[in-house]
Each structure stands twice: as structure tokens, then as C-alpha cells.
Amino acid sequence: MRSVSSSTSQIPESDIVPQHVAIIMDGNGRWAEERFMPRIAGHQRGVETVRTAIKACIERGVNYLTLFAFSSENWRRPAEEISFLMQLFITVLEQEVIKLNENGIRFKVIGDLSKFEPKINKIIRNGEAMTAANNRLTLTIAANYGGRWDIMQATRKMLAQHPKLVSNFGEEDLAQYFAMSYAPEPDLFIRTGGEQRISNFLLWHLAYTELYFTDTLWPDFSASTLDLAIKSYQQRERRFGRTSEQLKASKRINEVKKVPSKKKA
Ligand code: IPE
Ligand code: IPE
Ligand code: MG
């Protein structure tokens, strides 16, 4: 596995399956409204799609899947919808964590959990502990997450632990304190539902991520939608500020290194 460091400082391997896929699962409400159903029916259906996405990612060799489930701005929704989403979150956690564990999935949650009721916090902590040693896929759920919150909390935590850094700290110092410091930066970002915005998701981490937007509503997302996104990703040239020529030269060097030496007779 590649070491956890800023992908912006490395030339990544191209033509491969993205190691880390991050998704904004949008469009549940519209999916339901199109069917004259209440919005919450779309959220329920969206949970099934999460299972599909996890399975498809494992089959394709993705190591990290990060899903935006509830943003720090989603508290602005009608109280009824929020309370349904919280209940759904509890139900899904209670039912699924054991299954995730059986499937070798490491489960993590990022976000400001202080806003959630103690019951949710307890299930999350237990789930994370139970699955900590799994390595088939790391599934991260972003709940009450905001990219700005993450940058603020990381800075506060770093300065509380190392007050002297206040006058001089670097990206690497701060990076250790982000909620998702255990994962490499996402290679591929997908947003379903047609909107082309980041909506305060992983602001720091998406600096050089390849972005893919699709009109497909989240409940309709399938393995073939994922394949289209991965195909698009594989056609990109990730330059990280370098020139195309530099990348081609480094690829040639790597190919020479990969040629096995001939066996002596
Ligand atoms: C995304 O779907 C799920 C959450 C934000 C919880 P939406 O509920 O935003 O669906 P649309 O965008 O209204 O269709
Ligand atoms: C983003 O979706 C958050 C999640 C999918 C959890 P929203 O539907 O809340 O995004 P905006 O507000 O339309 O940008
Ligand atoms: Mg939406």
C-alpha cells in the first residue's frame, strides 16, 4: 500500500484503479419527488445504493471509500427530515456494522460528532473499534462533516498539543490532525445528482483530486456509474503542476525499471 502522504507531492501511477474514491451522494430527495414519494423514501433507497457502492469498490480494488452522508449545513433542513435521517443513521449503524466487520471492512466516521446524541456516538465508537484491524476496504462516513470545520479543528488540536508551532508550522504538521489523517488524499471525487459544487466536503484533501460529476441521482447510482467515473479518471493526466513531458519521461524511466533482468544460463 502506498504510504499516507500528500499526493500533491508525488507523481501517482496512472491507468490504475483509484486508491481512494470520495463521493457526495446527492439526489435522494429528487429521486423520491420524481416518483411522487416523500423525500425520506429517497434516503431509504440511498442506503441500498451505499451497499452497492461498497461492493463495487471492493470488486474493483478500491482501498478507501469516503461517503458524504450529512453535511454541517444539512441542519438547515426541516426538523422532520433531520430527525428521520438521524433515525435512519442509527438503524443502519445497528444493522450494518457487524456485516461490515464480517466483510473485512474497516469502518470510520469523520465529522463533528459532538452534535449527535450519545447513542449514535457509542455505536460509532464501538463500530470503529470492532473493525479497526480490517484492511479489505476502509469505509469512511462523513457525518456532520464540513471541510472548514475540519481545517479549524485540526489547527486548534495541533496548537493545543504544540503551542510553539503557532509562529511556524507547515502543511505536514497540520495534515496529521485532519479527521481523515489515516487515509491518502482522494484520487477520484464523484458527485451524483447533477450539481457541480463541493458543498464544503473535503476542502483540503481535494486539492488535486480528479473531479467527476454525473446527473445520475444517488439512488440510481450503480456499478456501471462507478465504472464510467473510473474510466474517465483513467483518461486523465494527473500533472500536479508538472508538464506533460515530465510525466512521460518519468513513466519511461519506471517502465525501464520494471523490465525483468534476463536469467543467466
Ligand atoms: C443527499 O440527497 C442526501 C443528504 C444530503 C442527506 P438530497 O436530500 O440532498 O437530495 P436532493 O438534492 O434534494 O435531491
Ligand atoms: C451535500 O448535499 C451533502 C451530502 C450529500 C451529505 P446537499 O444536497 O446538502 O448539497 P447542497 O446544499 O445542495 O450544495
Ligand atoms: Mg441535495
Side-chain angles (χ1 to χ4, degrees):
M1 208 177 283
R2 200 166 72 192
S3 66
V4 175
S5 68
S6 169
S7 60
T8 57
S9 63
Q10 296 173 334
I11 299 177
E13 289 179 52
S14 54
D15 312 331
I16 52 166
V17 168
Q19 185 184 193
H20 185 171
V21 176
I23 308 181
I24 297 188
M25 310 182 287
D26 197 18
N28 291 350
R30 278 164 286 164
W31 181 91
E33 281 155 17
E34 277 176 8
R35 287 160 181 77
F36 306 101
M37 287 151 88
R39 292 176 55 84
I40 55 174
H43 296 314
Q44 252 161 347
R45 191 56 182 255
V47 172
E48 285 171 40
T49 313
V50 170
R51 292 191 196 100
T52 307
I54 293 171
K55 188 165 172 273
C57 280
I58 290 177
E59 285 168 359
R60 282 151 188 77
V62 171
N63 298 124
Y64 296 85
L65 172 63
T66 301
L67 301 174
F68 204 7
F70 192 86
S71 77
S72 44
E73 288 71 34
N74 286 144
W75 297 106
R76 295 172 183 159
R77 295 199 174 192
E80 233 177 58
E81 183 168 338
I82 293 173
S83 107
F84 177 85
L85 284 168
M86 291 303 136
Q87 195 44 55
L88 185 64
F89 195 29
I90 293 175
T91 312
V92 170
L93 286 173
E94 282 174 337
Q95 287 172 357
E96 302 292 324
V97 169
I98 290 172
K99 287 187 210 157
L100 293 176
N101 194 34
E102 284 167 0
N103 284 298
I105 297 166
R106 174 164 71 142
F107 169 71
K108 301 283 267 181
V109 177
I110 54 169
D112 181 2
L113 299 183
S114 67
K115 299 280 186 305
F116 290 125
E117 48 182 281
K119 189 178 173 184
I120 297 187
N121 274 279
K122 199 173 163 216
I123 311 175
I124 290 172
R125 272 198 306 272
N126 289 345
E128 288 185 334
M130 186 199 295
T131 61
N134 296 341
N135 58 13
R136 202 164 166 216
L137 173 83
T138 296
L139 170 69
T140 301
I141 302 295
N144 191 23
Y145 180 87
R148 290 184 179 178
W149 164 83
D150 201 4
I151 294 169
M152 295 298 289
Q153 70 79 28
T155 312
R156 282 196 204 102
K157 231 185 236 171
M158 181 192 69
L159 292 179
Q161 287 183 22
H162 304 284
K164 284 186 187 150
L165 283 179
V166 72
S167 55
N168 184 21
F169 65 90
E171 288 183 15
E172 293 298 320
D173 296 311
L174 190 61
Q176 304 164 37
Y177 293 91
F178 287 120
M180 203 167 47
S181 59
Y182 52 85
E185 290 167 15
D187 301 293
L188 171 62
F189 160 97
I190 301 172
R191 181 173 187 144
T192 61
E195 313 299 346
Q196 302 196 1
R197 53 181 175 248
I198 303 294
S199 298
N200 199 16
F201 194 26
L202 300 157
L203 297 182
W204 178 282
H205 314 67
L206 295 177
Y208 260 110
T209 303
E210 295 299 326
L211 308 179
Y212 182 85
F213 298 94
T214 170
D215 289 337
T216 302
L217 303 172
W218 178 249
D220 291 327
F221 181 92
S222 66
S224 51
T225 327
L226 178 66
D227 285 336
L228 285 175
I230 292 179
K231 205 169 162 206
S232 166
Y233 169 82
Q234 288 170 336
Q235 284 159 1
R236 316 268 179 104
E237 184 177 59
R238 303 188 72 190
R239 289 194 286 276
F240 295 89
R242 298 170 182 86
T243 67
S244 192
E245 201 38 57
Q246 284 176 297
L247 292 177
K248 283 180 190 125
S250 89
K251 211 172 172 184
R252 280 196 295 273
I253 292 168
N254 286 337
E255 271 159 18
V256 169
K257 279 187 199 157
K258 271 184 207 160
V259 173
S261 55
K262 280 181 193 149
K263 275 187 193 160
K264 281 175 193 155

